[in-house]
Amino acid sequence: MKCLVTGGNVKVLGKAVHSLSRIGDELYLEPLEDGLSLRTVNSSRSAYACFLFAPLFFQQYQAATSGQEALRCKILMKSFLAVFRSLATVEKTVEKCCISLNGRSSCLVVQLHCKYGVRKTHNLSFQDCESLQAVFDPALCPHVLRAPARVLGEAVLPFPPALAEVTLGIGCGRRVILRSYQEEEADSTVKAMVTEMSIGEEDFQQLQAQEGVAITFCLKEFRGLLSFAESANLSLSVHFDAPGRPAIFAVKDSLLDGHFVLATLSESDLHSPALCSPELHRLAPPLQAHSTPHLDDFASDDIDSYMIAMETTADSEGSRAVPSIPLSPGLRPPCSPGPFSEDHEAEPSTEPGTPPPKKFRSLFFGSILAPVHSPPGPSPVLAEDSEGEG
Amino acid sequence: MKFRAKIVDAACLNHFTRVSTMIAKLAKTCTLRISPEKLNFVLSDRVASGGVSMWCELEQENFFSEFQMEGISAENNAIYLDLTAENLSRALKTAQNARALKIKLTNKHFPCLTVSIELLSVSSSSRVVTHDIPVKVIPRKLWKDLQEPTIPDSDVSIYLPVLKTMKSIVEKMKNISNHLIMEANLSGELNLKIETELVCITTHFKDLGNPPPASEDASQERPPEQMAEVHVDIRKLLQFLAGQQVNPTRAVCNLVSNKIVHFDLLHEDVSLQYFIPALS
């Protein structure tokens, strides 16, 4: 295999690698007929990401030397990322990037041709592997929304960088709602701040979903694709189904496409109130289409009844009025390994690391074996038959 | 009990955001006291805060275009809420390009201060960000601990130097010792000292000026050169200084020998009083 990337595309490639590094620790590189594919999956198999760069993205693209099988390899994400560590430097100094792999050498060679005749060569060791392939089809998802990445970037701005999960859905008045999702621990009375962003339908290029549908997914993983889409000025589309089924986030242009497939929390895992329910109308007026100030009265302030209850308890108990609610800074530790809702088949994950949303179920993965080869090394652990829920 | 307020002016919003950021740096949780004329951020000198206390006051009409509140009762027309200061600061920071900001006391499964922000947006559609900040309503019986502190009779009262300078000096001193001696006199001299077995470091600030004395007698009694000193925990002083992002309009330090250091600051129209007790 030999690919040559020049000019601004080097930075695009670097940015894609940065995005992928937010998901997994290993990068699967596979030169295909229709382009170079870079894929990764997280250790709990709840997130999968892939970028496909078309042959035209490259100044020169040779998937396989004639007569040879196209090689597939798996590299440490850390090593590949190190090549593109500083995107600012890459943008300023790198003129060409050449990625080559031949069966005889045991290294993936990434060579950066920089200004002033400087040439940086990275020899990255790799492992042969079978193709990492997640089976998913955006067309099968009933709900779609699509917006310029900038809109979605602005939408996630109010949320703290450490927030692990977010709920995305359609609220009343066809407004798209993003709300911070907090896992509530049974024994904790600590309440976290809830942030919600509401965007009008008009900001979306496509919105095909009914009021009330919502999914909850890992925000940190989504940010990976979002930052790529923002820098490339692309539109990002979100294809989703019922809670629990994976959501597909996609970007596309003539030279590349990217897909992030993220697991979503299933109904049984969700604690937060539905985005658009009759009960919520009473509790959370902001979810409605923006009302004029005059209509905004104290109707939702039930604090009086709470206060009255409190005073009477104070009289009878004499010491403390109500159970106090100790407060925390509202930020949950990003890697809280919550109880993993494990009532399913999932393959035992062999890696010790635990990514944040441990309770996300494993995505459905298919295993695609090359017709001639049998998998040479330990196969990545993949899930099973399609009848299983996602 | 009801509370609802609105800010539409960008400058007022920025100022209020700066105040909340300062409070978040000074205290993890604090009490917000809402009364018809004022808002106060209060930290009472509980053991939890290490004896440090704070009283920050602002006139609501300097910030809010609309302000309505109803306290517990007509005789006790105030609301006391405990909240995590950082939540408020974070919520306000998202209002950078806001057309309007509303704050309301609500009860969404638990009492909240709901901050609702209408953002300016390029397109015709509006964007609304809502933050529900959990709060704890403080019952009337506990209000007595959260009243405006009485200003102690100080031995020396002196204007402070530029706080950023003070902060960078105190930061460096912290690496050497936790025990700081603050001393000042009525000749406009302030010293910050640390003493260890190996080294003694003193930073001298001169010509700071002293505010006019409260009463004639007080000034005549005390020799101008005589230093009043207070030993404090350097980390508490540093936390106070770190909270002052902008140099205040007026900054006075009152020392009560071996008892307490009282900072009296004015940031434009917001007053802040901060008390650090002496090390026992």
Side-chain angles (χ1 to χ4, degrees):
Chain A
M1 170 197 85
K2 184 163 184 240
C3 321
L4 190 63
V5 188
T6 56
N9 283 353
V10 180
K11 187 181 174 201
V12 174
L13 178 65
K15 204 86 186 65
V17 179
H18 275 262
S19 286
L20 293 169
S21 68
R22 305 284 283 264
I23 303 282
D25 297 324
E26 286 175 331
L27 182 68
Y28 290 74
L29 203 130
E30 187 173 349
L32 300 165
E33 282 258 340
D34 38 337
L36 180 68
S37 149
L38 299 178
R39 301 178 192 152
T40 189
V41 69
N42 73 358
S43 53
S44 67
R45 300 292 192 265
S46 62
Y48 161 91
C50 93
F51 280 96
L52 180 70
F53 294 96
L56 282 176
F57 178 81
F58 304 91
Q59 185 175 76
Q60 195 190 2
Y61 181 71
Q62 186 182 31
T65 49
S66 53
Q68 267 194 341
E69 264 299 325
L71 293 156
R72 283 184 299 272
C73 67
K74 179 166 85 158
I75 339 167
L76 270 185
M77 184 69 75
K78 218 170 48 163
S79 313
F80 204 74
L81 185 62
V83 179
F84 303 97
R85 167 89 56 214
S86 163
L87 289 172
T89 313
V90 165
E91 190 178 21
K92 272 198 299 223
T93 61
V94 179
E95 290 162 355
K96 282 197 288 205
C97 169
C98 180
I99 306 175
S100 57
L101 177 62
N102 66 54
R104 277 168 288 125
S105 81
S106 56
C107 283
L108 176 77
V109 182
V110 182
Q111 202 172 56
L112 299 177
H113 299 245
C114 309
K115 274 205 237 183
Y116 314 118
V118 173
R119 205 180 289 184
K120 299 180 189 170
T121 308
H122 298 255
N123 296 312
L124 311 171
S125 59
F126 67 87
Q127 253 187 310
D128 283 323
C129 61
E130 63 171 54
S131 179
L132 176 75
Q133 181 76 46
V135 179
F136 61 91
D137 186 358
L140 293 178
C141 296
H143 313 299
V144 191
L145 57 82
R146 189 162 57 95
R150 183 191 44 85
V151 169
L152 294 170
E154 286 163 4
V156 301
L157 212 49
F159 299 94
L163 180 66
E165 285 126 35
V166 76
T167 302
L168 165 72
I170 316 296
C172 309
R174 305 268 299 158
R175 291 188 70 83
V176 176
I177 314 269
L178 272 170
R179 183 194 285 158
S180 59
Y181 178 80
Q182 309 284 353
E183 223 181 284
E184 275 172 35
E185 277 149 31
D187 59 345
S188 155
T189 47
V190 171
K191 299 272 181 279
M193 179 162 98
V194 174
T195 299
E196 185 180 288
M197 173 64 137
S198 155
I199 312 179
E201 189 182 0
E202 315 79 64
D203 282 347
F204 287 81
Q205 293 157 328
Q206 187 186 7
L207 183 59
Q208 185 183 308
Q210 303 85 31
E211 287 180 12
V213 302
I215 47 164
T216 301
F217 55 88
C218 181
L219 178 60
K220 286 191 183 177
E221 289 166 351
F222 170 63
R223 283 190 200 265
L225 182 62
L226 182 58
S227 73
F228 175 84
E230 276 180 301
S231 70
N233 216 3
L234 297 171
S235 285
L236 202 152
S237 54
V238 186
H239 304 256
F240 59 104
D241 200 337
R245 299 211 47 82
I248 304 162
F249 300 83
V251 294
K252 187 182 172 62
D253 82 2
S254 53
L255 298 179
L256 59 87
D257 62 55
H259 289 92
F260 272 41
V261 186
L262 306 180
T264 63
L265 286 185
S266 65
E267 286 289 2
S268 54
D269 299 323
L270 285 170
H271 311 287
S272 56
L275 286 177
C276 192
S277 67
E279 187 199 49
L280 206 62
H281 279 272
R282 178 174 60 81
L283 292 177
L287 273 180
Q288 295 164 2
H290 179 70
S291 55
T292 63
H294 309 293
L295 298 175
D296 193 7
D297 60 14
F298 288 116
S300 65
D301 301 353
D302 292 342
I303 203 77
D304 278 338
S305 51
Y306 172 82
M307 198 58 199
I308 292 165
M310 200 185 78
E311 290 282 29
T312 41
T313 328
D315 294 335
S316 57
E317 283 182 354
S319 48
R320 290 220 298 149
V322 283
S324 54
I325 305 171
L327 299 156
S328 81
L331 292 177
R332 306 198 65 255
C335 284
S336 53
F340 188 25
S341 62
E342 191 139 28
D343 51 349
H344 62 101
E345 57 299 68
E347 44 345 89
S349 174
T350 49
E351 286 100 330
T354 57
K358 226 179 155 187
K359 62 176 163 329
F360 283 112
R361 297 169 175 192
S362 290
L363 292 179
F364 166 59
F365 275 115
S367 163
I368 300 192
L369 300 176
V372 183
H373 284 326
S374 49
S379 58
V381 188
L382 302 168
E384 62 323 312
D385 60 13
S386 51
E387 292 321 294
E389 35 48 66
Chain B
M1 237 182 13
K2 292 179 163 80
F3 169 59
R4 166 183 125 153
K6 185 171 172 183
I7 303 181
V8 291
D9 177 73
C12 293
L13 182 52
N14 287 336
H15 192 21
F16 192 58
T17 305
R18 280 197 299 273
V19 173
S20 76
T21 305
M22 174 179 76
I23 300 293
K25 289 195 153 80
L26 296 176
K28 187 161 160 219
T29 60
C30 72
T31 304
L32 172 63
R33 175 183 178 267
I34 306 169
S35 56
E37 319 279 295
K38 303 191 185 136
L39 280 188
N40 295 90
F41 291 97
V42 187
L43 189 65
S44 69
D45 55 356
R46 298 166 290 205
V47 175
S49 57
V52 162
S53 60
M54 166 182 83
W55 177 269
C56 176
E57 184 166 293
L58 50 96
E59 305 272 322
Q60 61 86 349
E61 63 178 20
N62 290 344
F63 293 86
F64 301 93
S65 57
E66 281 172 39
F67 191 92
Q68 295 170 31
M69 63 99 29
E70 262 178 47
I72 293 187
S73 62
E75 311 86 58
N76 296 291
N77 197 17
I79 302 172
Y80 287 69
L81 304 169
D82 252 4
L83 52 75
T84 301
E86 197 198 325
N87 282 345
L88 181 61
S89 160
R90 256 202 300 123
L92 292 174
K93 280 187 188 154
T94 64
Q96 290 284 6
N97 297 314
R99 190 178 282 146
L101 181 139
K102 291 186 214 156
I103 308 184
K104 249 164 67 154
L105 186 58
T106 58
N107 189 4
K108 301 181 177 182
H109 302 299
F110 45 84
C112 286
L113 210 54
T114 295
V115 177
S116 170
I117 302 162
E118 193 193 327
L119 295 170
L120 292 168
S121 99
V122 178
S123 64
S124 58
S125 76
S126 67
R127 295 205 193 148
V128 181
V129 182
T130 314
H131 300 274
D132 293 319
I133 302 169
V135 297
K136 183 176 93 174
V137 180
I138 301 185
R140 192 159 29 92
K141 9 166 22 66
L142 300 176
W143 289 10
K144 60 183 183 337
D145 299 325
L146 297 162
Q147 297 309 306
E148 183 163 4
T150 45
I151 311 298
D153 286 327
S154 57
D155 296 317
V156 169
S157 191
I158 190 167
Y159 289 118
L160 288 168
V162 173
L163 295 184
K164 264 210 171 61
T165 311
M166 239 181 118
K167 176 182 159 227
S168 59
I169 287 166
V170 174
E171 241 169 10
K172 305 288 190 316
M173 286 180 157
K174 182 170 97 90
N175 296 331
I176 299 170
S177 168
N178 276 345
H179 186 129
L180 176 85
I181 304 168
M182 276 187 79
E183 57 179 29
N185 63 22
L186 291 170
S187 300
E189 291 174 341
L190 169 72
N191 297 335
L192 300 175
K193 282 205 290 210
I194 46 172
E195 294 170 344
T196 69
E197 282 171 2
L198 296 176
V199 69
C200 254
I201 303 179
T202 310
T203 303
H204 302 265
F205 293 94
K206 292 181 151 64
D207 300 324
L208 293 173
N210 302 84
S215 66
E216 280 289 313
D217 312 325
S219 69
Q220 279 164 5
E221 273 170 20
R222 191 183 181 85
E225 305 299 313
Q226 189 186 30
M227 291 282 182
E229 76 172 30
V230 184
H231 296 235
V232 296
D233 183 338
I234 205 173
R235 291 163 296 193
K236 293 181 182 157
L237 177 60
L238 194 54
Q239 182 170 23
F240 167 70
L241 292 171
Q244 313 308 316
Q245 299 284 290
V246 189
N247 212 42
T249 316
R250 180 176 180 266
V252 173
C253 176
N254 300 314
L255 295 163
V256 180
S257 275
N258 302 314
K259 283 261 163 53
I260 201 162
V261 178
H262 167 221
F263 293 99
D264 186 353
L265 304 189
L266 190 64
H267 282 279
E268 294 173 56
D269 47 7
V270 176
S271 80
L272 174 69
Q273 300 200 56
Y274 200 83
F275 301 83
I276 302 180
L279 286 169
S280 49

